[in-house]
Amino acid sequence: MNRGHGQVHVFGIRHLSPAGAYELRAFLDETEPEFVLVEGPSDATEWIGQMTSRGVNPPIAILAYTEQLPVETLVFPLAAYSPEYQAFVWAAERGAKAAFIDLPSDAAVTLHGLRRTSGDGDAEPELQEEAGLDRDSARRAYYGKQRLIYDRLAELSGEADYEAYWERQFEHPLQPGAYRRSLLEYSGQIRAMLEQDEWAFDPQEAAYNAIREAYMRRSIAEAIAAGHPAERIVVVTGAHHASALDMSLPMMTDEELQGLPRRPTKLTLMPYSYYKLSSHSGYGAGNPAPAYFELLWHCLRQGDMAKLPSLYLSSVAARMREEGNSRSTASVIEGVRLSEALASLHGGSLPTNKDLRDAAIVCLGFGELAPVAEALARTDIGTAIGSLPEGISQTSIQDDMNRNLKRLKLDKYKTSVAADLELDLRENRRVQSAEAAFLDLHRSTFLHRLGLLQIAFARNKKVRQNAATWAEHWVLQWTPEAEIQTVESVLKGETIELAAAFVIKERLEQCAEIREASRIIRAAYECGLPDAMEQARQELQRLAVEAGSVPQLAAAAVELSVLIRYGDLRKVDTSALLPLLQQLFLRGALLLVDAAGCSDEAAAGIAQAMGELHGIAQEHYDHVDDALWLRQLQALASRDDRNAKLSGLAFALLLERNQLGSEQVSREVSRRLSPGIPADLGAGWFEGMSMRNRYALLSRTGLWEQLDDYIRSLEGAEFHRSLVFLRRAFGSFEAREKQLVAEMLGELWGIGGDQAGEMLQRPLSEEERRMLDELNDYDFGDL
């Protein structure tokens, strides 16, 4: 049984291999080692006992992360059926020692980062010159060659893909000891093939593996030197490295160990998910069906692999029933028979996941993938997320996250299935305690803090960016990425609240415009950080002194307006924001007329700002200078040297506020739409005027008569020039509004409103299509 290596037993495995875990446990029972060494970060050894303690439910992962920005991370995931995890479980059950033997995380993270980010260098100049490959291309060639070898193996064995080949050859029960022997030989041959192929050989990849293997040999030697007999040591490692752990090969020296590049790191445990374990998520060492392999693992442990097909297909049928697609027991039985027949055709004793999926499509999907696709995904990948009990080593911010989830009764949402959460921020007077009365408000504050930290647990489905209300709609979904993001946030603060305050401080230090400063105030308000909110207010006031952009001023004023209106909702004092709102509004109003002397491209931003300032004037009329605002609108509406669209919009706003009499309206419309007025001025003014209160415009017949007379007066190029503005104006009208315009013009033209409305709905003729194409191709460059 023993295979060289100074009598140390080396057991090569594939990560996430249930058969590997099963065979490893049998091998450990047989050899009864006193020390089990496992490939993994050596500085995580002290946590092995915690990973196998009561209350730990895999999948879980060890996360290594750098202590300084930018954050670099490495994840070492484990499922219940991972051979490494079962090695730890076995050691805990038998009282044996267990340890990790791979590079410590500070060196592993650094070397991994260097592999990912290094560019062209001097490491392999001959390779680059001969093959024309840079480092990234060489690495792609390496893995591409590896994939070609795997695909070729599958093809020669008559399998559809490599996963089916692997499962049939290695995951189904073999002769005792066959897994270890065959996998060691198999992996050694593939490694040799890759290293001998000059085109696919990646020196950087090879160097990285050589460093790791030298360190692992050193770790094995240290275990022997510590008094553990070599024959009582079992080494569990990825099969790719198994042949390199020959103790006759050189181990890493003290000098080499000291010379490794390092960045200070910390380690933490975290729950993981089956989706993240799956190869569908991009995890390189994953498998396509972790939930299926867990089922296979349970069947192996029970010694009844014959049950696997019926359990799998019954699970698919049950999930289809949950979706409303019932399937009979007879269909499941036929599926089991078909999967077994497919296995026999490939010379196998048991169906593979591929055989079972094909049988499900035929017998449960009636030949179509669509009816069974979701059920197959849930049966193959699953939605399981691991869990860790209280007291397991985690970062302070992870502990704070878990405390908040429990306190706010959000821990039930810590699943991989997205769930909606409706919040009502108002006081709930039907409960007795203050905590319960404002539960949803506290939830909102916490979720906004997570959003600020970019922890992807909660997504706020806002209706409008500039709206605020007592109702919020969130979508909650937990992912391993959210756990990693939580851990990374510990660099900003030990708790969620402190980390959120740190982010506000960082954003303020980088803030250079008032619009961003106002958004920071809004973020601090939503996150319940009054001190940060005051700091942001002071920064906004400083920036507002010299601000000269009307859109920026208006956008900042809108943010403050929302907070002032809804400040009481979050129990935050917003009175200090009122003088700042008055200041921003005053500057915006005074700068409006000058800013309106702009191009059509810039006019879009000014137009939006006018609407925002107009809303503030109405909402806060008792605090801002509304009279000044109306005077500025009148000045802009009467100016001929400003952007015509903005003048038209100012006219519409005045009309909306009943600031214009009928005689004034008729006189201004006649002046703006009189024959001889250039098309870009006349039609542009009408476009601006049509941006507001359209139904009021539709009731003014005289306006449409003036527009009709104006268009009739245009000829040739001027007519075509006017169309670009009119098409843009009417393009934003709703269908009903366009219908009313057509009916009104029909009456003016004497053809009847109904007939004009029918003409509007009629499909374009070929001639009309040609004319439209000509208009689309018209050169408006000289507008």
Side-chain angles (χ1 to χ4, degrees):
M1 284 294 298
N2 298 345
R3 181 182 176 92
H5 306 311
Q7 299 301 312
V8 170
H9 305 281
V10 178
F11 197 107
I13 50 92
R14 187 191 193 193
H15 300 294
L16 302 172
S17 167
Y22 181 76
E23 293 293 334
L24 173 61
R25 286 190 64 102
F27 182 75
L28 293 173
D29 287 339
E30 180 181 348
T31 56
E32 296 185 342
E34 64 181 52
F35 206 173
V36 180
L37 303 179
V38 177
E39 175 192 330
S42 56
D43 50 337
T45 294
E46 61 186 273
W47 286 15
I48 290 175
Q50 294 190 47
M51 287 190 287
T52 57
S53 62
R54 183 184 300 274
V56 174
N57 294 311
I60 58 173
I62 301 170
L63 173 68
Y65 62 97
T66 54
E67 295 183 25
Q68 299 174 342
L69 298 173
V71 176
E72 296 281 352
T73 61
L74 275 182
V75 179
F76 186 81
L78 297 165
Y81 57 84
S82 294
E84 302 95 328
Y85 184 75
Q86 286 303 317
F88 299 145
V89 172
W90 185 92
E93 292 171 349
R94 301 300 181 91
K97 288 187 65 177
F100 285 116
I101 59 170
D102 205 347
L103 288 171
S105 60
D106 56 355
V109 169
T110 307
L111 288 172
H112 184 75
L114 290 173
R115 288 168 65 235
R116 186 175 64 251
T117 60
S118 60
D120 298 344
D122 300 328
E124 63 277 35
E126 294 181 1
L127 172 68
Q128 292 178 12
E129 183 177 347
E130 293 175 9
L133 294 175
D134 60 18
R135 295 183 184 214
D136 287 339
S137 299
R139 191 169 295 115
R140 284 195 297 271
Y142 175 85
Y143 289 113
K145 179 70 174 181
Q146 191 176 46
R147 175 52 56 188
L148 286 174
I149 293 173
Y150 291 160
D151 291 343
R152 181 61 176 160
L153 281 172
E155 181 182 350
L156 290 173
S157 65
E159 300 288 356
D161 54 49
Y162 177 72
E163 289 299 331
Y165 163 81
W166 171 269
E167 184 182 352
R168 205 179 309 277
Q169 299 301 321
F170 293 99
E171 296 298 334
H172 292 169
L174 307 170
Q175 294 297 323
Y179 182 96
R180 174 171 175 255
R181 294 191 301 270
S182 59
L183 191 56
L184 183 64
E185 185 67 27
Y186 166 82
S187 297
Q189 291 185 15
I190 289 184
R191 176 171 177 147
M193 292 172 64
L194 288 169
E195 291 176 350
Q196 293 168 8
D197 192 299
E198 184 177 287
W199 177 264
F201 180 68
D202 180 5
Q204 199 173 41
E205 185 73 20
Y208 178 63
N209 284 327
I211 292 171
R212 293 177 59 198
E213 290 157 358
Y215 184 88
M216 287 192 278
R217 290 193 293 270
R218 176 189 175 99
S219 298
I220 296 170
E222 289 175 347
I224 296 173
H228 299 284
E231 65 273 11
R232 300 295 305 280
I233 296 175
V234 170
V235 178
V236 182
T237 182
H240 181 81
H241 305 292
S243 60
L245 298 188
D246 187 332
M247 297 308 293
S248 65
L249 297 173
M251 67 187 70
M252 182 175 288
T253 65
D254 292 343
E255 183 179 0
E256 290 169 337
L257 180 61
Q258 292 297 320
L260 288 176
R262 299 172 185 264
R263 289 185 63 191
T265 57
K266 290 186 177 180
L267 293 169
T268 184
L269 289 177
M270 56 177 280
Y272 220 58
S273 74
Y274 271 168
Y275 174 75
K276 194 62 180 175
L277 278 177
S278 76
S279 51
H280 297 281
S281 71
Y283 174 51
N287 55 39
Y292 164 76
F293 278 108
E294 182 188 20
L295 184 63
L296 190 155
W297 163 249
H298 289 311
C299 290
L300 279 170
R301 294 297 303 272
Q302 294 167 7
D304 194 358
M305 283 291 289
K307 291 171 55 179
L308 180 62
S310 58
L311 290 174
Y312 178 88
L313 291 167
S314 295
S315 177
V316 175
R319 285 169 167 76
M320 292 183 70
R321 283 195 295 271
E322 292 172 3
E323 300 165 14
N325 298 320
S326 296
R327 293 295 185 268
S328 66
T329 303
S331 296
V332 173
I333 294 172
E334 287 302 313
V336 171
R337 291 173 178 170
L338 177 57
S339 68
E340 292 172 342
L342 291 172
S344 298
L345 290 174
H346 289 90
S349 58
L350 290 169
T352 63
N353 179 247
K354 177 69 166 58
D355 297 332
L356 292 167
R357 286 176 59 88
D358 289 344
I361 292 171
V362 172
C363 297
L364 302 180
F366 305 134
E368 298 289 339
L369 174 61
V372 294
E374 183 174 347
L376 285 173
R378 292 171 63 189
T379 306
D380 285 343
I381 301 173
T383 58
I385 290 181
S387 62
L388 296 169
E390 293 184 11
I392 294 295
S393 293
Q394 297 190 73
T395 61
S396 60
I397 203 165
Q398 283 175 288
D399 290 337
D400 185 59
M401 167 73 83
N402 292 331
R403 281 195 302 271
N404 276 288
L405 290 176
K406 187 174 183 179
R407 176 177 67 88
L408 299 172
K409 301 179 180 179
L410 294 173
D411 46 347
K412 64 182 179 181
Y413 294 98
K414 202 173 182 182
T415 72
S416 61
V417 180
D420 291 314
L421 177 64
E422 299 284 351
L423 298 181
D424 185 339
L425 308 190
R426 299 172 298 184
E427 180 181 2
N428 182 358
R429 299 181 181 275
R430 293 173 295 177
V431 295
Q432 295 182 352
S433 69
E435 180 71 17
F438 294 102
L439 176 63
D440 278 3
L441 175 58
H442 297 322
R443 283 174 164 179
S444 173
T445 299
F446 175 69
L447 296 178
H448 277 291
R449 289 174 180 174
L450 297 186
L452 184 66
L453 294 172
Q454 297 184 337
I455 296 175
F457 171 50
R459 178 167 51 88
N460 188 7
K461 297 181 68 174
K462 291 184 177 179
V463 178
R464 287 184 292 116
Q465 183 66 32
N466 293 329
T469 176
W470 51 265
E472 288 185 348
H473 182 188
W474 294 83
V475 178
L476 308 184
Q477 183 177 22
W478 190 257
T479 63
E481 286 82 2
E483 190 85 40
I484 293 173
Q485 291 156 357
T486 302
V487 172
E488 292 176 349
S489 296
V490 78
L491 301 180
K492 302 179 178 72
E494 295 184 353
T495 65
I496 296 295
E497 180 177 359
L498 291 176
F502 180 85
V503 172
I504 293 290
K505 181 175 178 293
E506 276 190 323
R507 288 177 59 178
L508 278 175
E509 290 173 351
Q510 301 169 5
C511 181
E513 60 177 34
I514 59 173
R515 176 159 35 194
E516 176 60 19
S518 68
R519 290 171 180 165
I520 296 174
I521 293 176
R522 173 81 168 266
Y525 164 79
E526 292 174 333
C527 292
L529 301 171
D531 292 341
M533 183 175 165
E534 173 58 21
Q535 294 170 7
R537 186 198 66 79
Q538 294 175 6
E539 180 64 17
L540 175 56
Q541 190 156 24
R542 184 186 68 80
L543 293 171
V545 172
E546 298 180 356
S549 167
V550 173
Q552 290 259 345
L553 289 163
V558 166
E559 291 285 359
L560 299 188
S561 172
V562 171
L563 299 188
I564 292 170
R565 290 202 311 269
Y566 293 94
D568 291 342
L569 188 64
R570 292 185 178 271
K571 310 306 175 187
V572 175
D573 183 10
T574 58
S575 59
L577 299 178
L578 189 56
L580 189 51
L581 173 65
Q582 294 168 333
Q583 178 184 347
L584 294 174
F585 180 84
L586 178 62
R587 287 187 60 81
L590 292 175
L591 292 172
L592 175 62
V593 177
D594 287 340
C598 61
S599 65
D600 284 339
E601 289 76 15
I606 302 292
Q608 180 178 343
M610 289 172 64
E612 292 169 340
L613 292 172
H614 194 68
I616 292 173
Q618 294 177 289
E619 184 71 31
H620 301 281
Y621 64 90
D622 52 345
H623 295 119
V624 301
D625 195 340
D626 184 46
L628 170 66
W629 173 246
L630 293 176
R631 289 196 300 272
Q632 292 298 102
L633 288 179
Q634 289 169 346
L636 177 55
S638 63
R639 294 282 290 267
D640 295 339
D641 58 346
R642 305 290 92 176
N643 184 280
K645 177 179 178 180
L646 298 179
S647 294
L649 176 57
F651 184 82
L653 293 173
L654 291 169
L655 194 63
E656 189 177 287
R657 291 282 299 272
N658 295 317
Q659 295 295 309
L660 300 173
S662 299
E663 185 177 341
Q664 288 178 283
V665 172
S666 298
R667 186 168 58 248
E668 186 66 13
V669 170
S670 176
R671 185 174 73 86
R672 293 285 186 174
L673 299 180
S674 61
I677 295 296
D680 53 343
L681 297 181
W685 182 86
F686 176 81
E687 180 187 0
M689 189 183 62
S690 66
M691 294 174 66
R692 301 284 295 204
N693 203 6
R694 289 175 185 154
Y695 282 102
L697 297 179
L698 291 170
S699 66
R700 297 178 181 271
T701 307
L703 184 151
W704 297 97
E705 292 175 345
Q706 290 284 347
L707 178 63
D708 184 42
D709 291 340
Y710 172 69
I711 297 300
R712 289 175 182 272
S713 71
L714 300 177
E715 295 182 358
E718 283 293 296
F719 174 75
H720 283 91
R721 284 164 62 86
S722 70
L723 292 184
V724 69
F725 296 97
L726 294 174
R727 288 182 67 197
R728 194 162 60 194
F730 286 117
S732 62
F733 276 51
E734 296 179 358
R736 177 57 182 162
E737 294 171 340
K738 294 177 182 178
Q739 180 77 15
L740 292 174
V741 171
E743 292 175 358
M744 185 180 300
L745 292 176
E747 295 294 341
L748 292 177
W749 296 335
I751 62 175
D754 293 340
Q755 185 177 351
E758 292 175 2
M759 293 174 64
L760 180 66
Q761 302 296 329
R762 188 183 61 191
L764 296 178
S765 65
E766 288 299 323
E767 177 64 16
E768 289 169 336
R769 290 181 184 277
R770 183 187 63 77
M771 294 171 64
L772 184 59
D773 291 339
E774 291 178 357
L775 180 61
N776 290 333
D777 295 336
Y778 190 80
D779 184 8
F780 293 104
D782 58 345
L783 287 175

